[in-house]
Every structure is written in structure tokens, then in C-alpha cells.
């Protein structure tokens, strides 16, 4: 999210925080995903803009908050995609995003058994909303994940 914000000339700190908290409720309340997050954020007086952005990542799945702003469209588009990129990286010999390109992810696109939980339609819809091609979105997602490869465990083997 920080990478995507910088690319769009937006506030990386804000986008990063929204990315960080977007699944806040998932571990404790998987059955009430997004609903509990909204409750917690409201109780703690979070700004409406943050609440809307977080809820929009679950549009059509857990909420009816349609992504409208750039940040909303972005979190909606990359939430599922980061999962597919991460899984694609982990099956590589290097186990890393550092040497991975968009085509590695594209190869897995139509293999429904691979990362079966990742909703490809959501990613396609997200790219369309952002007005970018799927290839561009995947490339940006990889570039963003490379910047935090160590933190997310996708740096691969240490030499
Ligand atoms: Fe989620």
C-alpha cells in the first residue's frame, strides 16, 4: 500500500496504516469479518475516511461499501493479489519476490487449484477500476512487495 501510494502521489503513511489494519478483526471474528473492524474503529473514533477504505476491501464479499476513491480501489485490487503473488513466490526455487516477474503470476492465473482461495475476478475488477492492465497491477504489486520482502518473509534464501 505504501508503494502504491507513492506511485499515485498520495500519503504513504495513511495508505500503509489502512493496509496494516484492514483485516483487524479476522483472527478473532472470521465470521464477522469487516463488521467487527467497523465497530472497533468507530468505538476508537477513527476517521470516516479510514473506516470506508478498510470496509471497501470487502466489497461484494463482506460489505456493500463500493470502492470509489483511489485508496479504496487500490486496497480492493491488491488484497487478493498479494496472496497470489506470495503463493507464486513460495513455489519458486528462490522462494523470493526479488527475482520474480509478473509472468510467473500470470502462469498461475487459470490454474484454479493453485492458491484456490484467491478470487481472480476481484483482482480483474480491481485493475479495471484503477484503469490499469492486469499486467501493470501485478508488476506494481510485486515491486511493492519487493520493498518489504524481508518483513513479509519473501526475501528467499540468505546466501
Ligand atoms: Fe479481509
Amino acid at each position: 500500500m505504501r508503494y502504491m501510494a507513492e506511485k499515485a502521489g498520495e500519503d504513504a503513511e495513511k495508505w500503509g496504516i489502512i493496509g496494516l489494519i484492514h483485516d483487524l478483526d479476522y483472527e478473532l471474528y472470521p465470521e464477522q469479518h469487516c463488521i467487527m473492524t467497523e465497530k472497533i474503529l468507530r468505538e476508537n473514533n477513527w476517521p470516516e475516511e479510514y473506516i470506508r477504505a478498510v470496509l471497501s476491501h470487502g466489497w461484494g464479499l463482506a460489505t456493500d461499501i463500493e470502492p470509489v476513491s483511489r485508496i479504496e480501489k487500490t486496497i480492493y485490487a491488491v488484497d487478493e493479489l498479494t496472496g497470489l503473488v506470495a503463493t507464486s513466490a513460495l513455489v519458486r526455487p528462490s522462494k523470493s519476490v526479488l527475482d520474480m516477474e509478473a509472468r510467473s503470476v500470470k502462469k498461475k492465473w487459470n490454474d484454479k487449484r493453485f492458491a484456490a482461495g484467491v478470487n481472480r475476478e476481484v483482482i480483474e475488477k480491481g485493475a479495471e477500476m484503477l484503469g490499469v492492465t492486469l499486467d501493470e497491477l501485478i508488476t506494481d504489486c510485486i515491486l511493492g512487495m519487493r520493498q518489504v520482502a524481508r518483513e513479509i518473509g519473501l526475501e528467499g534464501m540468505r546466501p
Side-chain angles (χ1 to χ4, degrees):
M1 286 301 285
R2 294 184 68 92
Y3 171 87
M4 296 299 269
E6 274 158 23
K7 202 182 171 198
E10 302 267 357
D11 184 345
E13 197 60 27
K14 183 200 281 177
W15 285 42
I17 288 168
I18 287 164
L20 184 68
I21 64 163
H22 82 285
D23 271 343
L24 186 71
D25 60 8
Y26 200 73
E27 216 163 298
L28 284 179
Y29 311 101
E31 303 301 320
Q32 297 171 78
H33 185 37
C34 292
I35 296 162
M36 286 306 285
T37 300
E38 180 176 13
K39 187 169 180 280
I40 295 161
L41 295 180
R42 288 204 188 285
E43 280 169 3
N44 288 278
N45 302 311
W46 277 65
E48 194 60 36
E49 188 188 359
Y50 284 69
I51 297 173
R52 248 205 76 95
V54 165
L55 296 182
S56 67
H57 94 269
W59 179 52
L61 305 162
T63 76
D64 56 2
I65 308 294
E66 186 174 352
V68 176
S69 67
R70 184 131 197 117
I71 187 177
E72 292 165 5
K73 290 173 180 172
T74 302
I75 194 159
Y76 176 79
V78 301
D79 181 34
E80 294 284 309
L81 181 53
T82 48
L84 189 59
V85 169
T87 314
S88 302
L90 290 172
V91 297
R92 295 172 62 72
S94 67
K95 307 221 183 313
S96 172
V97 286
L98 299 178
D99 62 350
M100 192 170 86
E101 307 287 342
R103 66 184 132 81
S104 300
V105 179
K106 285 296 282 289
K107 263 190 241 163
K108 309 284 188 192
W109 200 262
N110 294 318
D111 181 354
K112 301 289 183 231
R113 287 167 306 169
F114 183 82
V118 173
N119 188 329
R120 273 77 160 165
E121 274 174 41
V122 163
I123 304 169
E124 285 164 1
K125 211 186 287 178
E128 199 183 306
M129 280 180 188
L130 287 167
V132 297
T133 64
L134 194 54
D135 280 42
E136 284 174 289
L137 184 66
I138 295 169
T139 300
D140 274 337
C141 193
I142 292 170
L143 292 174
M145 289 170 77
R146 278 187 195 165
Q147 289 189 346
V148 290
R150 185 188 299 188
E151 291 94 318
I152 61 177
L154 294 175
E155 197 184 32
M157 305 295 180
R158 290 294 185 84

